Amino acid sequence: MSDVIISPSILSCDFANLESEVLSVMGAGAKWIHIDVMDGHFVPNITVGIPVVKSLRKVTNSILDVHLMIENPEKYIESFIQAGADMITFHIEASKDKTLKCIKMIKDMDKMAGISIKPKTPIDDIYQFIELVDMVLVMTVEPGFSGQIFMPKAAQKISKIKNYCPNLKYIQVDGGINDKTAKICKQMGANCLVAGNYIFKSNNRKTAIESLIRV
Ligand code: DX5
Ligand code: ZN
């Protein structure tokens, strides 16, 4: 028995058919949809933004799980929530001295707040915020691109977070998730898995999602 949530990352989908791609993974058992927002500054890549969240809001009631990989997240949080985001996760490396402000902005708008940490950032940097958020997102690749290889050392943060705050609602892991790495993460305490390539590039998305839930 497992109550792990699967959040497919649309970064690996066919953007020309975004609606049907999203509905396809929802029909295959995904509960959330992970939207990777990149600004070309915080990470060396540019992806999608507020209009895409707004468009997806019209076609699904599922949780829109927005992962902000952008500088100055406090400037954009409100707009992403107005567009329809249910969960906003920003990076501790980007929020800097405005981390509390970002959390408060999200909670004041009655949405779920997540805080994310890159593989090389010391875990000590987030402890003081863990009890204030709904989710910690542990990156197991350097943010910026889908299809990278899982970094086991980065995943060790999962068990540390679980021990530090056993009641934290969600520990999410993102980067290089497949049936093998999912198992490692779940054993350490993750209960929300993001997967891009493993789901969208598979021959059978239902089987792929089930394999992440089952392991
Ligand atoms: C990377 C993104 C991930 C990425 C995951 O910066 O945050 O969500 O799309 O893709 P896979 O699962 O292919 O590593
Ligand atoms: Zn992501």
Side-chain angles (χ1 to χ4, degrees):
M1 270 295 277
S2 162
D3 54 359
V4 70
I5 291 166
I6 306 301
S7 190
S9 160
I10 60 167
L11 195 53
S12 299
C13 84
D14 172 11
F15 275 103
N17 295 293
L18 185 55
E19 177 177 0
S20 62
E21 288 285 78
V22 165
L23 297 181
S24 129
V25 289
M26 291 306 165
K31 292 274 182 290
W32 294 9
I33 196 81
H34 186 83
I35 304 167
D36 286 305
V37 178
M38 304 186 190
D39 66 353
H41 293 279
F42 182 69
V43 288
N45 195 8
I46 298 176
T47 54
V48 298
I50 295 154
V52 169
V53 174
K54 200 170 175 186
S55 300
L56 285 178
R57 184 72 292 161
K58 290 183 197 147
V59 299
T60 177
N61 291 323
S62 301
I63 298 285
L64 298 181
D65 165 30
V66 174
H67 178 190
L68 297 180
M69 285 161 277
I70 61 174
E71 300 283 3
N72 306 119
E74 73 284 356
K75 287 190 185 167
Y76 303 96
I77 283 170
E78 195 179 340
S79 301
F80 275 100
I81 292 175
Q82 282 165 352
D86 299 291
M87 163 75 81
I88 297 273
T89 301
F90 62 87
H91 271 263
I92 182 81
E93 303 87 356
S95 55
K96 298 178 183 155
D97 62 334
K98 299 203 174 60
T99 303
L100 281 176
K101 180 180 177 176
C102 288
I103 296 170
K104 189 171 182 317
M105 285 174 84
I106 301 166
K107 299 308 292 180
D108 282 353
M109 292 180 83
D110 283 330
K111 300 298 172 189
M112 294 187 286
I115 190 161
S116 183
I117 181 162
K118 297 206 286 186
K120 290 184 192 130
T121 303
I123 191 161
D124 293 355
D125 290 10
I126 59 164
Y127 281 138
Q128 61 179 303
F129 305 110
I130 291 183
E131 282 175 1
L132 306 174
V133 294
D134 301 280
M135 183 169 90
V136 172
L137 163 51
V138 175
M139 290 301 302
T140 41
V141 297
E142 282 300 331
F145 300 90
S146 56
Q148 301 182 78
I149 305 290
F150 179 82
M151 300 166 74
K153 195 157 178 278
Q156 289 170 8
K157 288 184 183 131
I158 298 167
S159 43
K160 291 185 182 149
I161 292 162
K162 183 75 185 166
N163 287 337
Y164 184 83
C165 189
N167 295 327
L168 177 63
K169 215 183 288 171
Y170 303 111
I171 300 179
Q172 187 179 60
V173 57
D174 183 7
I177 293 298
N178 55 39
D179 54 346
K180 292 174 190 69
T181 56
K183 187 170 185 177
I184 298 169
C185 296
K186 284 165 73 174
Q187 282 167 348
M188 286 197 254
N191 61 356
C192 185
L193 305 174
V194 175
N197 270 18
Y198 183 71
I199 294 173
F200 281 104
K201 307 288 188 212
S202 74
N203 293 328
N204 186 326
R205 293 173 178 177
K206 194 165 193 299
T207 310
I209 290 172
E210 279 168 4
S211 77
L212 297 177
I213 295 174
R214 229 183 304 110
V215 287

PDB file of all heavy atoms in Angstrom, residues 9 34 36 67 69 137 139 174 194, ligand 2:
ATOM      1  N   SER A   9       5.980  15.950 -14.885  1.00  0.00           N
ATOM      2  CA  SER A   9       6.502  17.250 -15.309  1.00  0.00           C
ATOM      3  C   SER A   9       6.240  17.457 -16.791  1.00  0.00           C
ATOM      4  O   SER A   9       6.749  16.717 -17.634  1.00  0.00           O
ATOM      5  CB  SER A   9       8.012  17.320 -15.045  1.00  0.00           C
ATOM      6  OG  SER A   9       8.575  18.341 -15.847  1.00  0.00           O
ATOM      7  N   HIS A  34       2.975  18.886 -12.748  1.00  0.00           N
ATOM      8  CA  HIS A  34       4.142  19.681 -12.348  1.00  0.00           C
ATOM      9  C   HIS A  34       4.545  20.609 -13.497  1.00  0.00           C
ATOM     10  O   HIS A  34       4.819  20.162 -14.608  1.00  0.00           O
ATOM     11  CB  HIS A  34       5.279  18.713 -12.004  1.00  0.00           C
ATOM     12  CG  HIS A  34       6.506  19.335 -11.435  1.00  0.00           C
ATOM     13  ND1 HIS A  34       6.646  19.645 -10.100  1.00  0.00           N
ATOM     14  CD2 HIS A  34       7.673  19.684 -12.016  1.00  0.00           C
ATOM     15  CE1 HIS A  34       7.853  20.149  -9.889  1.00  0.00           C
ATOM     16  NE2 HIS A  34       8.501  20.198 -11.036  1.00  0.00           N
ATOM     17  N   ASP A  36       7.185  23.355 -14.700  1.00  0.00           N
ATOM     18  CA  ASP A  36       8.530  23.886 -14.448  1.00  0.00           C
ATOM     19  C   ASP A  36       8.684  25.248 -15.099  1.00  0.00           C
ATOM     20  O   ASP A  36       8.683  25.374 -16.326  1.00  0.00           O
ATOM     21  CB  ASP A  36       9.576  22.924 -15.022  1.00  0.00           C
ATOM     22  CG  ASP A  36       9.709  21.670 -14.183  1.00  0.00           C
ATOM     23  OD1 ASP A  36       9.962  21.803 -12.970  1.00  0.00           O
ATOM     24  OD2 ASP A  36       9.566  20.568 -14.735  1.00  0.00           O
ATOM     25  N   HIS A  67       6.585  24.802 -10.062  1.00  0.00           N
ATOM     26  CA  HIS A  67       7.960  24.799  -9.563  1.00  0.00           C
ATOM     27  C   HIS A  67       8.684  25.993 -10.178  1.00  0.00           C
ATOM     28  O   HIS A  67       9.045  25.978 -11.353  1.00  0.00           O
ATOM     29  CB  HIS A  67       8.611  23.459  -9.972  1.00  0.00           C
ATOM     30  CG  HIS A  67      10.046  23.327  -9.579  1.00  0.00           C
ATOM     31  ND1 HIS A  67      10.851  22.296 -10.033  1.00  0.00           N
ATOM     32  CD2 HIS A  67      10.833  24.072  -8.755  1.00  0.00           C
ATOM     33  CE1 HIS A  67      12.054  22.414  -9.522  1.00  0.00           C
ATOM     34  NE2 HIS A  67      12.078  23.489  -8.746  1.00  0.00           N
ATOM     35  N   MET A  69      11.664  28.106 -10.903  1.00  0.00           N
ATOM     36  CA  MET A  69      13.132  28.151 -10.937  1.00  0.00           C
ATOM     37  C   MET A  69      13.503  29.513 -11.515  1.00  0.00           C
ATOM     38  O   MET A  69      13.972  29.644 -12.651  1.00  0.00           O
ATOM     39  CB  MET A  69      13.671  26.994 -11.792  1.00  0.00           C
ATOM     40  CG  MET A  69      13.573  25.661 -11.063  1.00  0.00           C
ATOM     41  SD  MET A  69      13.672  24.259 -12.173  1.00  0.00           S
ATOM     42  CE  MET A  69      11.976  24.181 -12.710  1.00  0.00           C
ATOM     43  N   LEU A 137      10.785  20.375  -1.570  1.00  0.00           N
ATOM     44  CA  LEU A 137      11.129  19.720  -2.840  1.00  0.00           C
ATOM     45  C   LEU A 137      12.643  19.518  -2.883  1.00  0.00           C
ATOM     46  O   LEU A 137      13.414  20.487  -2.923  1.00  0.00           O
ATOM     47  CB  LEU A 137      10.674  20.580  -4.024  1.00  0.00           C
ATOM     48  CG  LEU A 137      11.273  20.305  -5.401  1.00  0.00           C
ATOM     49  CD1 LEU A 137      11.187  18.841  -5.780  1.00  0.00           C
ATOM     50  CD2 LEU A 137      10.566  21.138  -6.459  1.00  0.00           C
ATOM     51  N   MET A 139      15.716  18.520  -4.895  1.00  0.00           N
ATOM     52  CA  MET A 139      16.162  18.335  -6.285  1.00  0.00           C
ATOM     53  C   MET A 139      17.252  17.267  -6.327  1.00  0.00           C
ATOM     54  O   MET A 139      18.240  17.351  -5.607  1.00  0.00           O
ATOM     55  CB  MET A 139      16.743  19.641  -6.839  1.00  0.00           C
ATOM     56  CG  MET A 139      15.750  20.754  -7.097  1.00  0.00           C
ATOM     57  SD  MET A 139      14.435  20.370  -8.258  1.00  0.00           S
ATOM     58  CE  MET A 139      15.328  19.930  -9.741  1.00  0.00           C
ATOM     59  N   ASP A 174      12.503  15.497  -7.265  1.00  0.00           N
ATOM     60  CA  ASP A 174      12.409  15.911  -8.674  1.00  0.00           C
ATOM     61  C   ASP A 174      13.774  15.776  -9.331  1.00  0.00           C
ATOM     62  O   ASP A 174      14.746  16.385  -8.885  1.00  0.00           O
ATOM     63  CB  ASP A 174      11.937  17.377  -8.692  1.00  0.00           C
ATOM     64  CG  ASP A 174      11.713  17.936 -10.078  1.00  0.00           C
ATOM     65  OD1 ASP A 174      11.779  17.176 -11.068  1.00  0.00           O
ATOM     66  OD2 ASP A 174      11.456  19.161 -10.169  1.00  0.00           O
ATOM     67  N   VAL A 194       8.050  13.665  -8.733  1.00  0.00           N
ATOM     68  CA  VAL A 194       7.945  14.330 -10.035  1.00  0.00           C
ATOM     69  C   VAL A 194       8.667  13.444 -11.050  1.00  0.00           C
ATOM     70  O   VAL A 194       9.739  12.926 -10.758  1.00  0.00           O
ATOM     71  CB  VAL A 194       8.634  15.717  -9.992  1.00  0.00           C
ATOM     72  CG1 VAL A 194       8.632  16.364 -11.372  1.00  0.00           C
ATOM     73  CG2 VAL A 194       7.962  16.617  -8.964  1.00  0.00           C
TER      74      VAL A 194
HETATM   75 ZN    ZN B   2      10.548  20.545 -11.463  1.00  0.00          ZN
END
